């Protein structure tokens, strides 16, 4: 958690539009879902096709099973927003066209298709696109989760408890660390008075 910063709205748009190559739809779907669901990268990579694709369409809510949640006692469900649904749908349609759409298969398939990509590979994918977009500051896979937290906090009227519940934190103090203001914001506040 320490060391990664959240992305701004503009940076998220910029990155989402930057994926290229053979796995562009997969990588874009993984990035957008990470920013819009707030799951840890291990939780995101644990998802199966059946977790997001049912009855020929993308689901409205995604659940991470308890067994895939960093020592947590229960499942965790978050609603999917429209942007994430569209990104996932595009990736799933591509998988279907290639004959790789298996209900029990990993949502974010590796090249061999039998397993999900690794956390290390996800980090490589994101770091590459962060570097290509010349984004500075400490960025990593956890930046997606922190970006989600910042979006929810801003759009909820600064409702810390809503952010806590959506992130699945047991303590509000952990959630507060996700939302620490950066020095630039603090400087702006001082200049405004």
């Amino acid at each position: 958690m320490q060391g990664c910063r959240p992305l701004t709205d503009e940076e998220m748009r910029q990155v989402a539009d930057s994926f290229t190559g053979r796995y562009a739809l997969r990588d874009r779907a993984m990035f957008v879902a990470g920013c819009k669901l707030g799951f840890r990268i291990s939780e995101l990579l644990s998802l199966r096709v059946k977790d997001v694709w049912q009855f020929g369409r993308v689901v409205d809510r995604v659940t991470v099973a308890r067994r895939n949640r960093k020592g947590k006692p229960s499942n965790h469900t978050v609603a999917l927003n429209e942007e994430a649904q569209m990104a996932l749908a595009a990736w799933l349609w591509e998988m279907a066209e290639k004959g790789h759409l298996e209900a029990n298969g990993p949502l974010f398939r590796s090249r061999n298709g039998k397993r999900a990509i690794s956390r290390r590979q996800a980090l490589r994918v994101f770091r590459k696109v962060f570097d290509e977009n010349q984004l500075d500051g400490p960025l990593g896979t956890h930046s997606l989760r922190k970006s989600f937290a910042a979006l929810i906090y801003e759009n909820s009227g600064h409702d810390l408890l809503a952010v806590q519940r959506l992130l699945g934190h047991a303590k509000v103090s952990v959630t507060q660390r996700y939302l620490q203001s950066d020095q630039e914001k603090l400087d702006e506040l001082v200049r405004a008075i």
Side-chain angles (χ1 to χ4, degrees):
M1 182 169 64
Q2 289 288 341
C4 282
R5 71 169 177 85
L7 297 163
T8 65
D9 289 342
E10 179 57 34
E11 288 172 334
M12 282 188 275
R13 277 190 290 282
Q14 185 180 351
V15 169
D17 293 339
S18 298
F19 292 101
T20 59
R22 183 177 177 188
Y23 297 102
L25 288 177
R26 177 200 67 188
D27 297 344
R28 183 179 190 284
M30 183 172 50
F31 175 77
V32 172
C35 289
K36 302 298 181 176
L37 287 169
F39 293 151
R40 291 174 183 85
I41 193 66
S42 57
E43 295 170 345
L44 196 61
L45 297 176
S46 75
L47 294 174
R48 299 284 177 207
V49 169
K50 66 183 178 185
D51 296 328
V52 299
W53 186 257
Q54 296 172 7
F55 308 111
R57 69 178 196 85
V58 176
V59 298
D60 296 328
R61 301 167 66 75
V62 177
T63 299
V64 173
R66 180 183 58 85
R67 69 180 172 278
N68 297 317
R69 295 198 62 231
K70 193 179 173 186
K72 303 295 182 191
S74 62
N75 296 343
H76 185 66
T77 303
V78 177
L80 260 178
N81 80 345
E82 187 177 343
E83 183 182 358
Q85 285 179 326
M86 290 174 22
L88 288 168
W91 167 234
L92 290 162
W93 280 113
E94 181 175 293
M95 287 175 64
E97 286 176 0
K98 293 180 178 180
H100 300 302
L101 193 63
E102 302 167 13
N104 287 318
L107 178 59
F108 302 112
R109 302 164 49 99
S110 65
R111 283 186 294 192
N112 72 14
K114 294 178 182 159
R115 292 188 303 256
I117 67 169
S118 67
R119 289 176 21 204
R120 175 171 265 141
Q121 182 59 23
L123 178 60
R124 279 188 211 115
V125 165
F126 295 144
R127 282 222 172 123
K128 180 178 182 272
V129 79
F130 294 154
D131 289 345
E132 288 170 356
N133 284 287
Q134 300 175 350
L135 300 180
D136 60 346
L139 295 167
T141 57
H142 216 64
S143 294
L144 283 59
R145 185 166 163 83
K146 284 190 170 187
S147 299
F148 172 80
L151 284 171
I152 295 299
Y153 187 68
E154 290 300 319
N155 289 311
S156 69
H158 304 281
D159 185 346
L160 195 57
L161 295 177
V163 179
Q164 176 191 4
R165 289 189 63 200
L166 286 166
L167 291 176
H169 288 155
K171 297 179 181 178
V172 79
S173 61
V174 175
T175 306
Q176 286 175 312
R177 284 185 281 166
Y178 269 66
L179 301 171
Q180 287 179 339
S181 297
D182 60 26
Q183 189 61 47
E184 197 172 299
K185 284 184 180 177
L186 294 173
D187 292 345
E188 285 177 32
L189 289 171
V190 171
R191 284 187 209 111
I193 56 171

